[in-house]
């Protein structure tokens, strides 16, 4: 699993944002090449810590490439191995694919000689013993976004006269689809029709976020900690995830649902109210 | 035999008309339903696509049949096709209509059954999805047919655990799946893993030991890098988590 948690390790871990190392950088860059049968992922990485680089050189640590698309794949890289080839029959790049490098210990490691740590650790780093198979650092995430027909669009409107209700909200794979039985319900002929539809948009967002909670909360829990989950592979969920991340939303649960909608939806209710008010004023 | 499959337009799975036309065999030549796009499927050999009914023996048999046909005919295709929902749904309605009707006549009687069997969402609850992943994983792991058969049997004998493993992205991984199956097999804990946990209402209605173990391993990641553990280390990790819910002392005694 691609890992993006910041803290929670009982020992210092090298990441691009960790404070434990004086110079903390673990950069990953991937070039993609392909032929008819294969994808080749060319791996370039930078690790700032000479302590960790040395562990890698002498085999006390190894790099693992993690690739997540429809499933997770783990590739233990040999020393100096600069690419991984994967048959196209085993990976789909038309859906979202994310990659990350992990640095993992192959045996117990003492941090006594780790001079790259910041001063905070000086007095007790000789007591830090990291067990075998532990993560010593992880890189940034490289994304291949795949094809998406509606990269930004969150909503789609559709007309379906055979609908058994006036409107119906459907969560598609990339968008929230609002089906209308009657084109009148879209207020198409009115000024500000966009804002007048905002109540439906609200309902759509509510439905989508509720499903989001169901899908991404841990078993038995009803809150999703947005910063702790992986970027969803489902496009619609990914768009919602991006919106929430941008607005720095920490938790999503039923109690804060309306608040979250308020934060991510750019004042849709206010705009709706203004549009109605304007109509009333102009109409009278 | 390789076949060209026309891809359906979005929205087919929700349309009542689409179902009516499927019943009356009017889908295939109706351009309204299809885009201009086609994909090639490497084969049109039919295989069981739904194992939701029948007794355990029958279901096992059908799983094994699906594994066999998929591994021999389909699994070499690009993943963009064989793990794509729309490609499969398009393939089913255009190339396997008669087979499906004969095998699952109920799809003609009831639209709900149709969407549950034919146009089912393509995730870990979909039988084709389960079988495609299983064959990918097993075929990649070994070239020995006896060994493959052993793995296929282990999967059908531990379906609940298999479902739970492929449900989570971190464990949806071939090496890990086969390692876990080996652990379960070598420790002889298949029936324990399947069993319901009693007297722990706080865990939920249908909690089982196997699911709980996977859940705990998931929680422990990445401090315990479960997907990458060697067999013996994984054995220990599994026993440790199982030990929180089940008295494992008699299992350990036989190790």
């Amino acid at each position: 699993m691609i890992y993006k948690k910041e803290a929670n390790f009982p020992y210092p871990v090298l990441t691009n944002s960790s404070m434990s190392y004086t110079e903390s950088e673990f950069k990953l860059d991937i070039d993609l090449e392909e032929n008819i049968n294969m994808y080749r992922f060319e791996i370039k990485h930078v690790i700032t810590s000479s302590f960790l680089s040395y562990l890698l050189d002498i085999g006390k640590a190894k790099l693992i490439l993690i690739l997540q698309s429809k499933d997770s794949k783990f590739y233990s890289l040999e020393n100096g191995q600069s690419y991984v080839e994967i048959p196209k029959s085993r990976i789909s790049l038309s859906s979202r694919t994310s990659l990350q490098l992990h640095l993992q210990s192959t045996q117990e490691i003492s941090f006594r000689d780790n001079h790259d740590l910041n001063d905070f650790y000086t007095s007790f780093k000789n007591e830090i013993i990291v067990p075998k198979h532990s993560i010593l650092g992880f890189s940034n995430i490289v994304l291949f976004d795949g094809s998406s027909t509606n990269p930004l669009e969150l909503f789609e409107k559709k007309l379906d006269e055979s609908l058994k209700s006036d409107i119906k909200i459907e969560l598609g794979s990339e968008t929230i689809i609002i089906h209308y039985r009657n084109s009148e319900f879209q207020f198409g002929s009115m000024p500000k029709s966009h804002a007048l539809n905002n109540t439906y948009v609200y309902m759509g967002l509510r439905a989508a976020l509720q499903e989001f909670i169901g899908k991404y909360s841990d078993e038995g829990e009803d809150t999703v900690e947005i910063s702790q989950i992986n970027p969803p592979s489902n496009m619609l969920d990914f768009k919602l995830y991006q919106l929430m991340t941008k607005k720095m939303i920490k938790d999503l649960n039923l109690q804060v649902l309306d608040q979250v909608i308020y934060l991510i939806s750019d004042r849709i209710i206010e705009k709706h109210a203004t549009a109605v008010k304007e109509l009333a004023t102009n109409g009278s | 035999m390789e076949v060209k499959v026309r891809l359906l337009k979005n929205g087919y799975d929700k349309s009542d008309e689409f179902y009516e036309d499927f019943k009356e065999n009017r889908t295939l030549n109706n351009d309204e339903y299809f885009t201009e796009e086609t994909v090639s499927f490497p084969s049109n050999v039919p295989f069981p696509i739904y194992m939701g009914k029948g007794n355990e023996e029958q279901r096992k048999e059908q799983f094994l049949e699906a594994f066999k046909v998929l591994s021999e005919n389909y699994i070499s295709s690009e993943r963009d096709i064989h793990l794509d929902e729309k490609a499969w749904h398009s393939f089913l309605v255009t190339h396997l209509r008669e087979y499906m009707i004969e095998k699952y006549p109920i799809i003609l009687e009831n639209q709900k059954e149709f969407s549950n069997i034919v146009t089912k969402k393509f995730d870990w609850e979909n039988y084709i999805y389960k079988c495609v992943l299983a064959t990918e994983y097993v075929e990649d792991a070994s070239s020995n047919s006896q060994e493959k058969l052993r793995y296929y049997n282990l999967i059908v004998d531990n379906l609940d655990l298999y479902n739970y493993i492929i449900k989570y992205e971190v464990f949806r991984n071939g090496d890990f799946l086969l390692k876990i199956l080996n652990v379960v097999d070598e420790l002889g804990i298949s029936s324990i893993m399947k069993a319901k946990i009693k007297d722990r209402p706080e865990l939920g209605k249908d909690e089982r030991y196997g699911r709980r173990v996977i859940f705990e391993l998931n929680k422990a990641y990445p401090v315990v890098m479960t997907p990458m553990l060697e067999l013996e280390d994984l054995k220990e990790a599994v026993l440790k988590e199982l030990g929180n819910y089940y008295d494992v002392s008699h299992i350990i005694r036989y190790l």
Side-chain angles (χ1 to χ4, degrees), chain A residues 5 28 32 49 59 64 99 111 113 127 136 172 184 195 198 220 237 240 244:
Chain A
K5 268 182 206 171
L28 170 67
L32 179 66
S49 160
I64 294 169
L99 298 103
F111 270 32
D113 299 324
E127 289 159 30
L136 301 169
E184 291 284 299
N198 277 355
D237 293 341
L240 293 167
M244 290 190 277

Side-chain angles (χ1 to χ4, degrees), chain A residues 1-3 5 8-11 36 39 62 64 66 68-74 88-95 102 104 132-135 149 158 162 164 168 170-171 211 215 218-220 230-231 233-234, chain B residues 10-11 13-14 16 75-80 82-85 121-122 129 133 135-137 139-140 164 167-176 207 212 215 218-219 221-225 227-230 233:
Chain A
M1 184 168 69
I2 302 273
Y3 196 64
K5 268 182 206 171
N8 292 348
F9 288 93
Y11 55 86
I36 295 190
Y39 286 113
K62 63 177 174 181
I64 294 169
I66 301 187
Q68 233 172 302
S69 78
K70 301 247 174 184
D71 60 0
S72 311
K73 298 184 189 305
F74 304 89
K88 289 184 173 171
S89 63
R90 294 299 178 262
I91 181 174
S92 165
L93 287 185
S94 64
S95 53
H102 282 194
Q104 199 182 304
K132 189 178 166 181
H133 298 314
S134 299
I135 193 159
T149 42
K158 280 189 182 162
S162 67
K164 294 187 184 72
K168 192 180 124 192
E170 182 201 340
L171 303 175
E211 185 166 287
K215 272 198 210 163
D218 278 340
E219 207 79 2
N230 292 301
S233 49
N234 171 295
Chain B
N10 285 336
D13 47 339
K14 299 291 188 323
D16 296 346
I75 214 65
S76 59
S77 66
E78 294 194 1
R79 216 185 208 196
D80 280 343
H82 69 236
L83 273 184
D84 184 78
E85 170 172 294
K121 201 166 175 257
F122 204 65
Y129 181 90
L133 273 190
T135 38
E136 267 197 17
Y137 293 162
E139 295 303 314
D140 284 355
Y164 222 63
K167 182 177 172 185
Y168 290 109
E169 227 168 352
V170 60
F171 295 134
R172 202 183 302 136
N173 167 269
D175 296 337
F176 178 69
E207 199 52 76
R212 205 67 204 170
F215 172 76
N218 187 35
K219 259 203 333 207
Y221 183 90
V223 176
V224 184
M225 306 287 268
M228 292 162 237
L229 289 181
E230 298 298 326
D233 294 331

Side-chain angles (χ1 to χ4, degrees), chain B residues 1-43:
Chain B
M1 189 187 80
E2 188 178 277
V3 289
K4 283 247 178 287
V5 175
R6 297 175 76 188
L7 287 182
L8 288 161
K9 281 182 187 164
N10 285 336
Y12 59 88
D13 47 339
K14 299 291 188 323
S15 151
D16 296 346
E17 206 184 327
F18 179 74
Y19 176 61
E20 290 306 319
D21 285 344
F22 174 84
K23 279 205 297 195
E24 303 300 326
N25 200 9
R26 289 188 304 238
T27 326
L28 195 55
N29 298 316
N30 189 341
D31 287 341
E32 298 252 314
Y33 290 122
F34 297 96
T35 64
E36 298 291 305
E37 247 183 296
T38 58
V39 294
S40 305
F41 263 62
S43 168

Side-chain angles (χ1 to χ4, degrees), chain A:
Chain A
M1 184 168 69
I2 302 273
Y3 196 64
K4 47 199 288 291
K5 268 182 206 171
E6 282 301 324
N8 292 348
F9 288 93
Y11 55 86
V13 169
L14 183 84
T15 68
N16 285 305
S17 56
S18 150
M19 306 298 244
S20 314
Y21 283 79
T22 47
E23 257 186 279
S24 195
E25 202 176 284
F26 189 167
K27 286 253 160 73
L28 170 67
D29 195 19
I30 300 272
D31 279 336
L32 179 66
E33 290 170 13
E34 62 177 299
N35 63 26
I36 295 190
N37 302 314
M38 291 278 190
Y39 286 113
R40 177 192 280 201
F41 294 90
E42 295 271 358
I43 305 154
K44 287 177 210 145
H45 72 274
V46 177
I47 289 176
T48 47
S49 160
S50 49
F51 174 75
L52 295 179
S53 299
Y54 179 66
L55 292 182
L56 198 53
D57 286 343
I58 60 171
K60 288 191 173 179
K62 63 177 174 181
L63 287 171
I64 294 169
L65 181 72
I66 301 187
L67 190 150
Q68 233 172 302
S69 78
K70 301 247 174 184
D71 60 0
S72 311
K73 298 184 189 305
F74 304 89
Y75 297 91
S76 248
L77 303 181
E78 300 293 324
N79 241 345
Q81 183 179 346
S82 65
Y83 65 85
V84 162
E85 278 186 343
I86 303 168
K88 289 184 173 171
S89 63
R90 294 299 178 262
I91 181 174
S92 165
L93 287 185
S94 64
S95 53
R96 285 174 55 76
T97 302
S98 34
L99 298 103
Q100 187 174 49
L101 263 188
H102 282 194
L103 182 66
Q104 199 182 304
S105 63
T106 59
Q107 46 186 275
E108 202 174 79
I109 306 283
S110 159
F111 270 32
R112 191 185 55 217
D113 299 324
N114 189 347
H115 303 298
D116 305 329
L117 294 175
N118 74 31
D119 295 344
F120 172 78
Y121 292 99
T122 310
S123 61
F124 63 95
K125 68 183 178 195
N126 52 0
E127 289 159 30
I128 301 178
I129 308 280
V130 179
K132 189 178 166 181
H133 298 314
S134 299
I135 193 159
L136 301 169
F138 55 89
S139 75
N140 53 295
I141 298 166
V142 174
L143 272 183
F144 289 92
D145 239 334
S147 69
S148 152
T149 42
N150 302 297
L152 296 169
E153 206 93 357
L154 193 55
F155 285 91
E156 267 180 86
K157 283 188 210 165
K158 280 189 182 162
L159 197 61
D160 178 3
E161 282 163 10
S162 67
L163 215 57
K164 294 187 184 72
S165 53
D166 288 336
I167 70 156
K168 192 180 124 192
I169 293 190
E170 182 201 340
L171 303 175
S173 58
E174 295 186 8
T175 52
I176 299 166
I177 306 159
I178 307 173
H179 299 271
Y180 298 81
R181 185 161 55 83
N182 184 330
S183 64
E184 291 284 299
F185 302 154
Q186 300 185 354
F187 306 109
S189 58
M190 294 191 175
K192 303 257 176 172
S193 69
H194 201 69
L196 290 172
N197 276 285
N198 277 355
T199 42
Y200 306 140
V201 167
Y202 198 99
M203 289 153 64
L205 277 174
R206 224 173 189 281
L209 288 172
Q210 267 172 342
E211 185 166 287
F212 194 97
I213 296 172
K215 272 198 210 163
Y216 300 99
S217 58
D218 278 340
E219 207 79 2
E221 286 182 29
D222 54 7
T223 291
V224 184
E225 285 180 66
I226 300 298
S227 65
Q228 307 285 295
I229 62 168
N230 292 301
S233 49
N234 171 295
M235 230 19 234
L236 172 59
D237 293 341
F238 180 66
K239 289 176 193 171
L240 293 167
Y241 168 85
Q242 274 187 319
L243 275 173
M244 290 190 277
T245 310
K246 246 184 244 164
K247 299 289 177 188
M248 291 182 289
I249 286 157
K250 287 204 184 84
D251 295 326
L252 176 66
N253 58 46
L254 287 180
Q255 288 75 47
V256 300
L257 202 55
D258 295 289
Q259 213 178 323
V260 169
I261 295 176
Y262 174 70
L263 289 168
I264 64 173
S265 66
D266 192 25
R267 301 180 292 126
I268 50 173
I269 293 300
E270 191 186 320
K271 283 179 185 163
H272 177 259
T274 311
V276 172
K277 244 187 272 171
E278 273 177 29
L279 278 178
T281 316
N282 295 341
S284 60

Side-chain angles (χ1 to χ4, degrees), chain B residues 84-101:
Chain B
D84 184 78
E85 170 172 294
K86 201 196 284 177
W88 276 111
H89 290 170
S90 305
F91 173 68
L92 294 178
V93 300
T94 55
H95 286 87
L96 292 194
R97 181 175 178 275
E98 276 167 35
Y99 168 80
M100 293 190 301
I101 290 172

